[in-house]
């Protein structure tokens, strides 16, 4: 696998993501675990890494705040957004991909995954959380709810954002382990009237397809990330090496984060593999899933949305891009058919960001 990745990187024509320094690595707060929109057991994963000595380094990494994403002040009366996130959480990456593609300026606040002081204002203790102000402040929870609500707001001029969010009520359920959790049963729906629906979804099948693959990204694809990026001790170490370099740790903190944190996540990834009934070689599950997506897009469409990405395209792209810079990402590019679609997604989002 490593040799194949090196051969791909040595290709004469490198795609855009190989011409940039890696922007992301997969930290212990990611994998959808602890993130809104399908994750569960995040405190377990973080707790294991912390107990084995990675806590000091992880705290310093999480304390880092990203700069404001907006290039300019928003006009008076427009939608002002603040995203509370873990940088490497795929659910948070989904929301960023959506906001970037739609040219919506936003501020990012990086949340400490252990103390979570930045979201102490909220009884909802997962990320992403989006604070939106379209005349009055409003908190939106769960990545798919955030995307559906904001997309509805952009399309429909009939309702305020507050009214739209009320269409996505949280419902309390109990897991098999007896834990109470909140679910959003209609989170993949856009709340549009008949005329608006016809404009966005000319035929019913288009809407059904988009909702199906958005749900697939949350329920299946995201759970393939951690077992793949922490598949071997070497890969786990590479992920934490990135965290240490980006965090500019001291010698002691860097040692704990890089080595003991990597050991913790390597063993936890094996538990995740068993939980989700993955193959012995978890790369095969990743390859199969990615190729299933490419097959669904088909040979005659640039994106599942046609000439432009739809919400399913943005969800799948957001999940996959958290692996950029890691061996799992390189292997995926070599051994699947995802590269042309992924490169088109990169280009269209970069173009949208440049236009802001």
């Amino acid at each position: 696998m490593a040799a194949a990745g090196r051969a791909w990187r040595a290709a004469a024509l490198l795609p855009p993501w190989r011409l940039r320094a890696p922007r992301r690595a997969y930290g212990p707060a990611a994998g959808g675990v602890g993130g809104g929109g399908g994750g569960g057991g995040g405190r377990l994963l973080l707790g294991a890494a912390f107990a084995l000595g990675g806590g000091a380094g992880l705290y310093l990494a999480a304390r880092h705040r990203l700069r404001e994403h907006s290039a300019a002040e928003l006009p008076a009366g427009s939608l002002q957004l603040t995203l509370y996130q873990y940088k490497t959480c795929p659910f948070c990456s989904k929301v960023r991909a959506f906001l970037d593609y739609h040219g919506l300026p936003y501020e990012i606040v990086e949340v400490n995954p252990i103390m979570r002081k930045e979201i102490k204002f909220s009884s909802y203790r997962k990320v992403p959380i989006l604070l939106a102000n379209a005349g009055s402040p409003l908190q939106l929870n769960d990545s798919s709810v955030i995307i559906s609500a904001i997309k509805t707001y952009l399309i429909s001029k009939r309702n305020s954002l507050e009214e739209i969010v009320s269409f996505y009520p949280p419902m309390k359920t109990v897991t098999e382990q007896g834990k109470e959790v909140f679910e959003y049963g209609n989170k993949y729906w856009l709340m549009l009237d008949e005329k608006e629906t016809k404009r966005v979804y000319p035929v019913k099948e288009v809407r059904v397809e988009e909702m199906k693959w958005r749900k697939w990204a949350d329920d299946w694809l995201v759970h393939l990330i951690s077992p793949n990026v922490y598949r071997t001790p070497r890969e786990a170490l590479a992920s934490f090496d990135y965290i240490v370099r980006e965090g500019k740790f001291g010698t002691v903190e860097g040692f704990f984060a890089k080595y003991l944190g990597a050991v913790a996540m390597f063993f936890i990834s094996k538990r995740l593999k068993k939980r989700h009934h993955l193959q012995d070689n978890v790369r095969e599950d990743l390859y199969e899933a990615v190729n299933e997506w490419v097959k669904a897009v088909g040979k005659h469409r640039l994106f599942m949305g046609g000439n432009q990405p739809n919400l399913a395209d943005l969800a799948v792209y957001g999940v996959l891009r958290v692996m950029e810079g890691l061996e799992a990402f390189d292997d995926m590019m070599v051994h699947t058919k995802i590269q042309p679609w992924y490169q088109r997604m990169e280009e269209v989002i970069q173009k949208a960001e440049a236009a802001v």
Side-chain angles (χ1 to χ4, degrees), residues 15-47:
W17 58 83
R18 302 310 306 171
L19 301 177
R20 300 192 303 272
R23 296 174 298 169
R24 305 168 184 85
Y26 208 82
V33 189
R43 295 181 68 85
L44 172 64
L45 299 188
L46 280 167

Side-chain angles (χ1 to χ4, degrees), residues 255-266:
F255 174 85
F256 284 137
K258 180 176 178 179
Y259 293 100
L260 300 184
V263 169
M265 294 312 299
F266 168 71

Side-chain angles (χ1 to χ4, degrees), residues 18-250:
R18 302 310 306 171
L19 301 177
R20 300 192 303 272
R23 296 174 298 169
R24 305 168 184 85
Y26 208 82
V33 189
R43 295 181 68 85
L44 172 64
L45 299 188
L46 280 167
F50 187 83
L52 287 173
L58 296 176
Y59 173 83
L60 292 176
R63 194 172 60 188
H64 175 66
R65 284 175 176 266
L66 301 182
R67 62 178 175 82
E68 186 177 347
H69 185 84
S70 173
E73 290 295 322
L74 290 171
S78 63
L79 187 62
Q80 299 186 37
L81 305 171
T82 302
L83 178 64
Y84 291 78
Q85 67 155 24
Y86 303 146
K87 183 180 179 183
T88 53
C89 164
F91 294 112
C92 300
S93 179
K94 278 171 47 188
V95 174
R96 292 198 309 271
F98 169 81
L99 297 175
D100 291 342
Y101 174 70
H102 288 88
L104 296 173
Y106 58 99
E107 182 180 354
I108 291 178
V109 176
E110 191 73 7
V111 175
N112 178 332
I114 300 170
M115 304 302 296
R116 293 184 286 188
K117 294 184 299 182
E118 295 80 1
I119 56 173
K120 64 181 180 181
F121 61 85
S122 173
S123 60
Y124 183 81
R125 302 301 291 168
K126 296 181 180 182
V127 293
I129 292 174
L130 186 71
L131 294 189
N133 193 328
S136 60
L138 187 65
Q139 178 177 328
L140 287 76
N141 306 324
D142 186 279
S143 61
S144 292
V145 171
I146 291 170
I147 290 168
S148 293
I150 297 297
K151 182 67 173 181
T152 299
Y153 179 77
L154 294 176
I155 296 170
S156 176
K157 306 302 180 184
R158 296 174 296 105
N159 298 309
S160 68
L161 182 58
E162 186 172 5
E163 290 171 318
I164 292 170
V165 172
S166 72
F167 299 150
Y168 301 93
M171 297 176 291
K172 185 180 292 187
T173 62
V174 180
T175 66
E176 294 179 358
Q177 292 76 30
K179 180 181 179 181
E180 289 188 347
V181 296
F182 286 99
E183 296 290 347
Y184 300 82
N186 56 353
K187 62 185 177 181
Y188 300 111
W189 285 86
L190 301 188
M191 301 304 174
L192 308 173
D193 64 20
E194 185 176 351
K195 183 178 180 181
E196 292 162 344
T197 299
K198 286 287 187 182
R199 177 159 52 91
V200 178
Y201 305 107
V203 295
K204 178 182 178 181
E205 289 74 18
V206 174
R207 185 179 200 170
V208 171
E209 180 184 53
E210 180 184 78
M211 292 172 63
K212 170 188 173 181
W213 289 97
R214 289 181 67 191
K215 188 174 188 300
W216 175 84
D218 285 351
D219 293 349
W220 178 242
L221 183 63
V222 75
H223 296 301
L224 302 179
I225 306 300
S226 285
N228 272 279
V229 299
Y230 297 120
R231 182 182 62 150
T232 66
R234 177 171 52 81
E235 289 179 85
L237 193 60
S239 296
F240 275 83
D241 180 65
Y242 179 89
I243 294 173
V244 170
R245 284 187 285 109
E246 290 297 304
K248 299 180 180 178
F249 302 119

